[in-house]
Each structure stands twice: as C-alpha cells, then as structure tokens.
Amino acid sequence: MQCPVCNHENGDARFCERCGSNLTGNHASSDLTDTVTHTDSGSADSEYTRWSSTQQPASYEAAPTRSSSVSPVPSSVQDNENASNLGSADGSAQNQGANQWSNIVQNEKVQQAKEVSKQYLSYFLSVLARPYQSMKTVGEQHALHGLVTMILFALLSSTYVLITFVRLEGEGLFISGFLRPLLYAVIILIVAMALIYGVLKLERITFRPKMLVAQLGTLLIPAIITLALANVMIPISYSFALSLLVLSYIILFVSMNTLLFHHPLDRTKAMIDSIYSVLIVNAVLFYVIYRLLSSVIAGFFGGLFSPFGRW
C-alpha cells in the first residue's frame, strides 16, 4: 500500500515504514469512498428507476389531455344543439303558457257573462212583479242592469220592425228594417234620459246619473215583456202585435214621468210651474218618436218600391 504522505510503498502494514503515517484511515476512507460511490450509483439507479416509473404514467396521462384538446369543436356544436333545443323547448313552453292564459281569460269572461246573465234574470223576475217599489230601492250597483234593459228595449223594437218588413215581403231590407230602427230606438232612449236630466237640473235637484239609469231601467222591465210578446204575435195577429208595440212606448212615457215625479219638483220661484216642464218634456219625446217612426216607414216603402233599395 502506498503511503499518502511520503509515497513509500509498504506491504500490508498498518503504518508507513518511512514516516509512520497511519495507513488504516486511508483504506477506510477509500472503502468509504467506494461504498459511497456504489451507494450513490445504486441510489442513482433506483432514482432513475423511480423517475422512469413515475414518468411513464405521466406520458399515459398526456394522451387524454391531447384528446381533450382536440374535442372542443364537437362539444361546441353539441352545446349549440343543446341550446337550440332548449330555446325551442322554451318557445313551445311559452306558446303553451300563452295559449293556456288566453283560455283562462276566455273562460273567465264566459263565467262572468254567465254570472251577469244569472244576476240579471233574478233581477228581472224580482222587478217584474213590483217595478215601482223596486225602483225606489235600487242603487247605483243596478246601473248595469238598467243599461241591459235599455239595450233589450232597442233590440226588441228593431226586431219587431224587421219581422214586420219580412212579413210584408220586404226581404233583404236589413238596413232599413233592423239597423235604422235600432239606431232610432237608441236615440229615443238617449233623448228620454237627457230630458229627465235637464228637468232635474232645471229644478236644482241633486242626483246621480247612474241612479237615473238604474231607476229608468227598472221601470222599463214591463216594456220588455210587451215588446217580446209583440215580436211573437206578429205572425198570429199583426193588429194585436202593433197594440203591444204602442203599449211598450206608452210604458216608456209613464216611466219617464214616474221618475220625474219621484223627485221633489217644488220650485216656488220659477217662471213656469213644474207640471209645464213635465208636459214640455213629454211633447218633445213624443215628437222625436213620431219623426223617427215616420222616417222608418218612409225608408221601408222607399226601399220596397225602388229597384236599388233592396239588400
């Protein structure tokens, strides 16, 4: 063994024969160096094995990543298709909801119409027995019933004229036989209400217009019965039907006067007495009815004998 201090070659001695240096520590250090070298190489091999074993799954995991990086185009298309399907589903749901809502509204309107008709029928039957007593107890909530009564009055008057024209072989005179009489009947009712309103304003009486509509409609209930009978009796007896028509308009005059005298007409300082005001009102209404009735008759005969007057 060579001494590391003096480079003297020694045998298997533990100390150097020349300088006496300890040769055992150097051997141990060399052994230690070899051990460390083998250990490091072994650990390096094991580390390399460990690294290669950990890197191989990483390479395998990279494949899905690449595949996932390639797939955005089909996924976006699928997302668009899903969005379109959802949009169409939402649109159909909205349409279905709108249809359901319209059906609900229509059903509510039908139910309301049925309810109003039931209420009017009960009101009609209760008023028919005692119209005057009912007129004194009605309120503004019955204004709709009074308006319906006036509409029925105008419709039944116009249907009477139409049936009469058809019976006299005036077929096709829809304008002269129905629309014009309907308009004239509405005008007569409006004039009657305006005259009542004017007299009460002239007498300085406090009132509510809705109350007037309810009260006049209540008093006109018997006129509805007479007009309905007049329409039914035209094919059986025209003279009797005409008498019922006249009676219905007499009821209109009586109703207007009853409503006027229901209020206290007691102007003491007026230029004319209240009775004369009522007479003037009746004369005006009679004149309006006469003019409109003569216009209906003239229009009927003019259309009957004119070659261009038929519809």
Side-chain angles (χ1 to χ4, degrees):
M1 178 179 294
Q2 187 177 3
C3 178
V5 176
C6 63
N7 294 323
H8 178 74
E9 289 289 335
N10 298 297
D12 294 328
R14 298 173 60 89
F15 296 96
C16 180
E17 294 175 351
R18 179 181 292 179
C19 64
S21 298
N22 191 4
L23 301 177
T24 304
N26 188 16
H27 178 74
S29 62
S30 63
D31 293 338
L32 180 61
T33 303
D34 294 337
T35 303
V36 170
T37 304
H38 289 294
T39 302
D40 292 339
S41 62
S43 64
D45 292 338
S46 63
E47 184 67 25
Y48 175 77
T49 304
R50 190 182 305 112
W51 178 83
S52 61
S53 64
T54 56
Q55 289 299 315
Q56 185 175 4
S59 64
Y60 285 123
E61 291 177 358
T65 306
R66 288 195 298 270
S67 64
S68 63
S69 64
V70 176
S71 62
V73 174
S75 64
S76 62
V77 173
Q78 185 176 3
D79 292 339
N80 293 330
E81 290 179 355
N82 293 331
S84 63
N85 293 330
L86 291 175
S88 61
D90 293 338
S92 61
Q94 290 178 358
N95 293 329
Q96 186 177 3
N99 293 330
Q100 291 178 355
W101 176 252
S102 63
N103 292 331
I104 291 172
V105 172
Q106 290 177 359
N107 292 331
E108 288 181 354
K109 290 182 180 179
V110 170
Q111 294 298 327
Q112 289 177 358
K114 290 181 179 179
E115 187 66 24
V116 170
S117 62
K118 289 180 181 179
Q119 292 178 359
Y120 181 77
L121 181 60
S122 61
Y123 159 82
F124 186 89
L125 295 176
S126 62
V127 170
L128 184 61
R130 302 177 68 85
Y132 180 72
Q133 298 298 328
S134 301
M135 183 270 297
K136 295 189 293 184
T137 58
V138 295
E140 293 184 1
Q141 67 273 14
H142 297 93
L144 179 60
H145 294 156
L147 185 61
V148 171
T149 303
M150 295 181 187
I151 293 173
L152 289 175
F153 186 92
L155 287 174
L156 291 172
S157 299
S158 59
T159 53
Y160 176 89
V161 179
L162 180 61
I163 295 172
T164 302
F165 284 7
V166 172
R167 185 175 175 80
L168 295 175
E169 299 182 356
E171 296 89 349
L173 296 173
F174 182 72
I175 294 179
S176 299
F178 182 77
L179 293 181
R180 189 177 296 171
L182 178 63
L183 177 61
Y184 290 166
V186 172
I187 292 174
I188 289 170
L189 291 172
I190 292 175
V191 169
M193 285 296 300
L195 291 173
I196 296 171
Y197 182 88
V199 171
L200 294 180
K201 279 293 185 180
L202 189 63
E203 297 283 341
R204 296 180 182 178
I205 295 174
T206 303
F207 63 94
R208 293 184 294 273
K210 287 186 178 180
M211 183 66 73
L212 290 181
V213 174
Q215 290 175 341
L216 183 61
T218 302
L219 294 174
L220 287 177
I221 291 293
I224 302 301
I225 297 297
T226 56
L227 282 172
L229 291 175
N231 282 273
V232 173
M233 293 300 296
I234 290 175
I236 302 173
S237 175
Y238 179 74
S239 59
F240 184 66
L242 182 60
S243 301
L244 291 174
L245 178 67
V246 173
L247 178 61
S248 64
Y249 278 86
I250 291 174
I251 293 174
L252 175 60
F253 278 95
V254 173
S255 300
M256 184 181 65
N257 289 282
T258 302
L259 188 56
L260 285 174
F261 283 110
H262 175 68
H263 295 84
L265 306 179
D266 54 356
R267 287 191 312 152
T268 57
K269 297 182 180 181
M271 296 179 59
I272 58 175
D273 191 72
S274 299
I275 191 64
Y276 296 113
S277 300
V278 175
L279 288 175
I280 292 173
V281 165
N282 284 271
V284 171
L285 184 61
F286 179 80
Y287 178 76
V288 171
I289 294 175
Y290 168 75
R291 292 293 298 177
L292 295 179
L293 182 60
S294 62
S295 177
V296 169
I297 296 174
F300 165 70
F301 285 107
L304 186 63
F305 294 108
S306 175
F308 302 100
R310 292 178 178 268
W311 280 71

